[in-house]
Amino acid sequence: MTLQNIENFDISVISDPHVLAYDLIADTDYFKKEIKIDRKLLVESEALFGQALEIVNKANSQFLFLPGDLVKDGEYKSHQIVKKYLCEWKNNKDGREIFMIPGNHDLNNHKSYDFKKDTKTKNINPKEFYDLYSFIYENPLVLEMYKDSDIFKKYLENINKQYDREEEYQYYAHGYFSYVSRIKSEVNDSGLTIIALDTSIYSIDTEQSHKDNRENVPGSITLDQMRWAVEKIEEAKQRKDLIFVMAHHALMPNFRNQELVFSPFIIKEWRTKFIDDDPRINNKTPIEVLADNGVKFVFTGHLHENGTAKYVSELGNVVYDVQTGSTVTYPLPIRHIKIINKLEETSGFEVYIKTDLIKEFTYRNLADEIEIVDDAINYTIEKQLSLRDVLHNYIRIQANNPKYAHINLKPLLIEKASDFLDKDIPVHGYMNKIVFPMIYKYFPYKKKYVGKIDVARINGEFEFQIRAAKNILTIKASNLEEAFDIILKEIDNKILIPYQIVTYWDKIINKAWQMPIDNDGHTFYDFANYIYQYKPLGEEERPEFVAKMIDNLNNSNYNITNIVIEYCKDEINEAFDKFTSSIELKKDGSKEKFFNDLIQTKGRLSSFAYKRFIKKVDNLRELLDYFSRYITDEKDLTGAGFAKKILSTKSVRIAKENFSNHMFGQSSLRKFVIDVVNSMSEEMVEVYQNEDLNELEKYFNYIEYDDSKSSK
């Protein structure tokens, strides 16, 4: 049997439809801004979901897998639309059933928005999700919900005690929607066992800040989940069943270097070996546990990537992670599965997997008009934005966001710092209670042109003490906080102005894009856009300017940040001068009051220096100039020099690494860029766009991970 002569399939897979209910869409500036920075076909999403189900109808599949991300951002109304479509499909023919798990967009999503009413809209919590989709979780093929197991109940009890949760959240924890189902065979006593592993993070136990009612992008599998899954696998093996696992997040990378460039789209524990008394689990990664316990296929989504990974465990057992792309992004794929039960002949099963692409669809546009798309692939490609478009749109959208119109920077910074430090930072007293205790250990030290700088604590309050030639200058924590608050307020009023931000952003970024990277006229933008578009070219076909830039990035002496700053120094200096000069150092309209309340002096020399200092300094620019030697070791401070100095500090390097880790799964942005380019291949295009290249031999060799070699 070949894929070409299969007319009736058993199972179809639709992943990541991201349906946004048409009732939540409007032809408003805000929604237009949203679709200018989101690659998903949101206006078309409802129609594309309906068309995907039509393709499932034509494949004659009796069962449907949905590995999550059903809606855009957890909107309850969007979930109601998804339910309507699913019920229509299910009820159209007897015997149809749906197997579904939530994705990271589906539950406890704080971004749910009604673009028609221009306000936040109701999202959905786990209980509401279960009630809405009860026809799926209470269908007769479901053998057990993980939440009803003794393993989960004990785990939940421990989590509730550990985090002292509010009562409304105490009914759920990570993995809540995991379950096991079984489809009986029509030819013998065996069948297909489906283990749905809920990998999405929406509960306090796995949420990155250990908060309830929040969602995270990455996925996770807990040890308790794995223990439960192994029990269900063992029961399935006793029945001689074929075993499928379904999860939202990939259990291993599905393309070369995914773990380096897009790790939030793989479960966090993909390379973590569990420690457990059960030898079926102990010292094994999640995918290794599944492989060594007899699972052959895992069906996932999340990345919008239509790829398959083959994994070989240390014991030589094979499992495939089959990832299905999204119906709202290129190339609009749906999968179909045919299972041939050959237990009587060969003691096994034959599994055929085919990919269909949505080739045409009809949808209602923003003007409430019906549009017919007869070439869906080209339509999707044309909808993709260039990097310049995305950045151009994004900065204007953010600069003109109503919530930034009257921004109060201080509470925003405190909120971000609280999340980063994982502690509550007070609105008042943060210098004395948080900042000084953190920096205390780095003092005292001596600095040229300044003297000995120390931190002391007197009567419960920290203070800076700067000593030189029997003179002392003191800055108390409370006074420093008051001065800092004044500066923040000045920034609110004089810098965070949309037209100013956009003007200087355009000047700097456009200059950076023009930076030449070779002698043939190629620019930094050409390279950046090449990466953004993720052009599928192999090593031999890679443009020479890209190869040269990769060589530069591989050279540790090539400081791309400083090179770009130096090229844009005129524009950076202009913005720096403009912004810092506008920040006046005054309290109640008086410069003297600002500094007299901030600084106390002892000694003639310090008093003289202090008076001279006040006379010379009126604004933040002059303050930075005054301490230029201390800040940059240069006599004259420039914006470009200041930027280089700041970016080279340890704290900023750590912040960059944390950002890179959070966004891309690794601490080096330089390595991220290199790995993205190195992962591009012509093979990707073949697998994506050609439905005739889905034969087993071709398709399942897309990428392989062989741990069996490591045990030899």
Side-chain angles (χ1 to χ4, degrees):
M1 180 180 289
T2 64
L3 285 171
Q4 281 70 26
N5 59 26
I6 297 176
E7 294 182 358
N8 299 316
F9 285 86
D10 300 308
I11 302 167
S12 290
V13 185
I14 297 175
S15 190
D16 297 75
H18 288 282
V19 171
L20 178 60
Y22 194 83
D23 285 346
L24 299 176
I25 296 173
D27 189 10
T28 62
D29 289 341
Y30 189 32
F31 183 68
K32 287 177 181 176
K33 291 171 183 176
E34 181 73 11
I35 59 179
K36 282 182 178 180
I37 58 174
D38 196 325
R39 65 179 180 140
K40 304 183 192 80
L41 299 177
L42 297 176
V43 178
E44 302 89 340
S45 61
E46 190 176 328
L48 285 166
F49 187 51
Q51 185 62 28
L53 289 170
E54 279 300 311
I55 291 174
V56 174
N57 275 333
K58 292 177 182 177
N60 292 314
S61 292
Q62 184 178 353
F63 305 105
L64 177 64
F65 285 2
L66 278 166
D69 275 359
L70 311 172
V71 302
K72 180 185 183 295
D73 285 316
E75 310 86 10
Y76 192 89
K77 278 189 176 181
S78 296
H79 277 297
Q80 289 178 313
I81 294 296
V82 171
K83 176 185 177 179
K84 178 178 79 72
Y85 276 94
L86 292 178
C87 286
E88 288 175 356
W89 177 84
K90 182 180 184 298
N91 297 331
N92 192 42
K93 193 172 183 179
D94 290 342
R96 285 182 170 179
E97 294 294 350
I98 300 163
F99 305 96
M100 183 182 79
I101 47 174
N104 58 289
H105 281 261
D106 291 325
L107 290 166
N108 289 345
N109 196 317
H110 62 288
K111 298 177 183 176
S112 301
Y113 202 83
D114 185 333
F115 294 96
K116 185 169 288 185
K117 296 180 179 178
D118 195 22
T119 185
K120 286 191 172 185
T121 189
K122 175 177 170 50
N123 64 5
I124 196 167
N125 62 39
K127 183 182 184 304
E128 293 167 333
F129 188 89
Y130 183 90
D131 291 342
L132 190 68
Y133 295 111
S134 59
F135 66 98
I136 292 175
Y137 296 111
E138 295 176 3
N139 82 60
L141 302 184
V142 174
L143 301 180
E144 182 183 68
M145 294 288 296
Y146 173 54
K147 70 182 181 66
D148 297 326
S149 69
D150 291 337
I151 292 176
F152 177 81
K153 290 175 181 177
K154 184 177 180 181
Y155 175 76
L156 178 63
E157 182 181 357
N158 292 334
I159 292 301
N160 288 337
K161 288 179 181 177
Q162 180 180 351
Y163 295 103
D164 191 24
R165 303 170 81 186
E166 295 180 28
E167 186 175 353
E168 64 178 302
Y169 306 123
Q170 290 182 7
Y171 67 93
Y172 70 90
H174 186 80
Y176 184 74
F177 283 98
S178 301
Y179 63 98
V180 59
S181 296
R182 183 172 189 256
I183 302 171
K184 292 182 180 179
S185 171
E186 296 178 354
V187 297
N188 52 42
D189 293 333
S190 66
L192 172 67
T193 290
I194 303 156
I195 298 174
L197 290 177
D198 180 6
T199 57
S200 294
I201 294 175
Y202 50 85
S203 175
I204 196 169
D205 45 326
T206 49
E207 201 277 329
Q208 60 189 7
S209 300
H210 293 299
K211 294 181 179 179
D212 270 316
N213 200 29
R214 293 296 295 268
E215 88 294 344
N216 293 166
V217 173
S220 181
I221 291 180
T222 65
L223 176 58
D224 291 85
Q225 248 183 313
M226 205 81 260
R227 288 169 176 162
W228 173 82
V230 167
E231 279 190 7
K232 301 305 118 182
I233 291 169
E234 193 61 37
E235 292 170 5
K237 286 160 65 176
Q238 294 297 320
R239 298 188 294 262
K240 297 184 178 180
D241 282 359
L242 175 66
I243 304 167
F244 283 177
V245 168
M246 178 172 62
H248 181 59
H249 299 78
L251 272 63
M252 60 179 173
N254 275 62
F255 60 84
R256 287 190 300 276
N257 300 316
Q258 183 185 350
E259 72 278 14
L260 300 176
V261 298
F262 289 119
S263 75
F265 296 91
I266 321 171
I267 58 167
K268 293 179 179 180
E269 303 82 3
W270 84 275
R271 271 302 191 194
T272 301
K273 291 183 178 289
F274 289 117
I275 304 300
D276 194 57
D277 293 335
D278 189 337
R280 297 172 298 179
I281 298 174
N282 187 50
N283 202 33
K284 297 178 188 289
T285 63
I287 194 69
E288 193 175 4
V289 172
L290 298 182
D292 287 347
N293 282 277
V295 175
K296 296 300 181 186
F297 294 95
V298 180
F299 293 90
T300 60
H302 189 43
L303 182 59
H304 297 204
E305 151 77 12
N306 213 56
T308 298
K310 176 182 177 181
Y311 173 79
V312 183
S313 74
E314 291 184 11
L315 299 179
N317 296 305
V318 176
V319 63
Y320 297 103
D321 188 329
V322 183
Q323 196 170 65
T324 301
S326 168
T327 56
V328 291
T329 54
Y330 167 85
L332 313 179
I334 298 98
R335 292 195 191 275
H336 308 299
I337 306 165
K338 182 70 176 179
I339 303 171
I340 309 297
N341 189 325
K342 290 198 170 184
L343 278 177
E344 305 294 336
E345 305 169 31
T346 61
S347 300
F349 298 82
E350 287 184 0
V351 177
Y352 296 84
I353 301 177
K354 181 182 187 299
T355 295
D356 255 342
L357 304 179
I358 297 176
K359 298 184 179 66
E360 58 186 18
F361 64 96
T362 301
Y363 77 102
R364 197 165 22 143
N365 64 24
L366 285 175
D368 202 22
E369 301 166 340
I370 300 300
E371 284 197 27
I372 298 173
V373 177
D374 53 16
D375 188 347
I377 289 181
N378 279 332
Y379 176 87
T380 309
I381 292 173
E382 289 170 3
K383 284 280 186 175
Q384 289 185 331
L385 301 172
S386 71
L387 179 60
R388 194 188 302 272
D389 292 333
V390 170
L391 293 178
H392 177 88
N393 295 333
Y394 182 79
I395 192 64
R396 280 160 175 76
I397 289 167
Q398 294 304 316
N400 291 286
N401 192 323
K403 73 178 183 180
Y404 297 139
H406 303 287
I407 192 169
N408 189 340
L409 191 57
K410 180 180 175 180
L412 180 63
L413 291 176
I414 286 177
E415 178 187 353
K416 297 297 183 184
S418 296
D419 288 341
F420 179 75
L421 297 173
D422 195 21
K423 62 173 66 176
D424 291 330
I425 297 178
V427 175
H428 303 291
Y430 58 86
M431 281 288 180
N432 197 54
K433 295 176 182 177
I434 304 295
V435 177
F436 272 91
M438 289 177 61
I439 65 174
Y440 183 81
K441 61 184 177 182
Y442 299 109
F443 294 88
Y445 75 93
K446 290 185 178 180
K447 186 69 178 178
K448 189 178 180 181
Y449 307 116
V450 178
K452 181 183 177 183
I453 305 173
D454 202 356
V455 170
R457 191 175 189 184
I458 300 174
N459 297 325
E461 182 174 11
F462 286 100
E463 62 180 40
F464 280 123
Q465 294 180 349
I466 305 172
R467 301 174 185 271
K470 297 183 180 181
N471 291 269
I472 183 170
L473 184 149
T474 303
I475 302 176
K476 293 184 178 181
S478 57
N479 296 334
L480 182 61
E481 180 174 321
E482 186 178 19
F484 188 64
D485 288 349
I486 289 171
I487 292 173
L488 288 179
K489 186 58 67 177
E490 283 281 287
I491 294 173
D492 288 344
N493 297 331
K494 296 180 178 179
I495 292 181
L496 297 179
I497 301 171
Y499 80 87
Q500 285 195 152
I501 295 172
V502 170
T503 297
Y504 285 102
W505 165 267
D506 282 346
K507 284 185 177 182
I508 294 171
I509 196 67
N510 288 335
K511 181 65 177 291
W513 288 149
Q514 296 168 20
M515 187 181 79
I517 59 173
D518 64 11
N519 296 323
D520 298 321
H522 293 106
T523 65
F524 186 53
Y525 176 77
D526 294 328
F527 177 72
N529 195 51
Y530 177 89
I531 296 170
Y532 173 76
Q533 297 285 4
Y534 204 78
K535 294 181 180 177
L537 299 172
E539 288 278 351
E540 296 179 359
E541 299 177 76
R542 183 176 298 161
E544 186 176 343
F545 77 91
V546 173
K548 181 178 179 180
M549 194 65 180
I550 290 298
D551 288 341
N552 287 337
L553 291 173
N554 272 315
N555 182 351
S556 59
N557 294 321
Y558 183 81
N559 192 327
I560 182 63
T561 304
N562 281 359
I563 290 171
V564 173
I565 289 174
E566 186 63 26
Y567 187 77
C568 303
K569 63 181 180 182
D570 291 341
E571 290 73 20
I572 293 173
N573 291 342
E574 180 187 350
F576 179 76
D577 292 344
K578 167 72 176 178
F579 290 147
T580 55
S581 296
S582 68
I583 304 300
E584 294 182 299
L585 304 179
K586 292 182 178 180
K587 182 179 179 182
D588 300 331
S590 169
K591 176 178 70 171
E592 287 73 18
K593 184 172 178 56
F594 177 89
F595 285 111
N596 288 340
D597 287 353
L598 173 63
I599 302 169
Q600 288 76 49
T601 63
K602 291 181 181 179
R604 291 182 180 180
L605 186 60
S606 63
S607 296
F608 174 77
Y610 172 65
K611 290 177 181 178
R612 182 172 177 271
F613 165 73
I614 291 181
K615 187 176 181 180
K616 290 177 67 71
V617 175
D618 288 308
N619 54 53
L620 183 59
R621 180 71 174 91
E622 292 170 351
L623 178 66
L624 293 171
D625 276 341
Y626 194 87
F627 290 105
S628 177
R629 284 187 181 275
Y630 169 65
I631 296 171
T632 64
D633 295 323
E634 299 289 339
K635 182 179 179 181
D636 298 316
L637 181 68
T638 65
F642 187 60
K644 290 178 184 178
K645 183 69 175 181
I646 292 296
L647 291 174
S648 68
T649 61
K650 182 178 179 181
S651 58
V652 172
R653 287 200 306 271
I654 292 172
K656 285 195 297 182
E657 290 173 2
N658 288 338
F659 169 80
S660 183
N661 258 324
H662 179 71
M663 293 298 295
F664 309 118
Q666 63 155 304
S667 60
S668 172
L669 284 171
R670 178 195 297 261
K671 185 164 176 52
F672 165 75
V673 171
I674 294 170
D675 290 331
V676 166
V677 175
N678 287 339
S679 69
M680 300 174 183
S681 69
E682 186 64 34
E683 184 179 19
M684 186 185 304
V685 172
E686 291 183 301
V687 173
Y688 260 46
Q689 290 193 5
N690 195 330
E691 292 177 349
D692 295 328
L693 292 178
N694 286 300
E695 297 286 355
L696 281 176
E697 287 302 311
K698 168 70 181 177
Y699 198 77
F700 287 116
N701 285 308
Y702 182 35
I703 184 169
E704 293 193 20
Y705 292 86
D706 193 342
D707 277 354
S708 62
K709 297 174 183 177
S710 64
S711 63
K712 296 177 182 177

